[in-house]
Amino acid sequence: MNYLQAAQEITELVPDFENELKEEKNQNPYALVRAFTERIKNMIRQNDRYLLWRSLQKMGTMYSNGDSVLKNAIENTFIYSLDNFTAFCSEEYKKMIFSHISTDLQKIYSRQIYSHGI
């Protein structure tokens, strides 16, 4: 899956996401993942669980099927931001969020969090 395919899949899930992509000057995988990550952050804040669960699943699918650039964008943008936007969630809500993140992304998250001192 490349940037264009990922953008199309996100737009199918979140139809008004296309407007955000049109506003973005730099159209690349990093901008796409950054915008989708912001959308997910807002879903967490608004407690929009149905769309949040589907979006987290889509992020996992994009990672599993993505080309190397898309995977790097997800690792360096979405995974890196997870702690920031779950910091103020209740422990129960945070566990629920992480339970909806794909196993692959959970492994990347753990590796990123626990390898900082290496």
Side-chain angles (χ1 to χ4, degrees), residues 12-27:
E12 289 171 8
L13 179 65
V14 186
D16 65 333
F17 189 75
E18 188 173 17
N19 297 331
E20 290 177 46
L21 293 179
K22 288 178 183 175
E23 292 174 12
E24 185 65 45
K25 292 175 186 168
N26 298 322
Q27 302 222 346

Side-chain angles (χ1 to χ4, degrees), residues 16 54 57 67 77 87 98 101 103 108:
D16 65 333
R54 293 181 64 209
Q57 182 181 24
D67 61 18
T77 304
F98 278 87
I101 295 173
T103 306
I108 299 297

Side-chain angles (χ1 to χ4, degrees), residues 1-20:
M1 175 183 302
N2 62 29
Y3 159 79
L4 294 174
Q5 293 164 323
Q8 183 178 355
E9 287 199 18
I10 295 169
T11 302
E12 289 171 8
L13 179 65
V14 186
D16 65 333
F17 189 75
E18 188 173 17
N19 297 331
E20 290 177 46

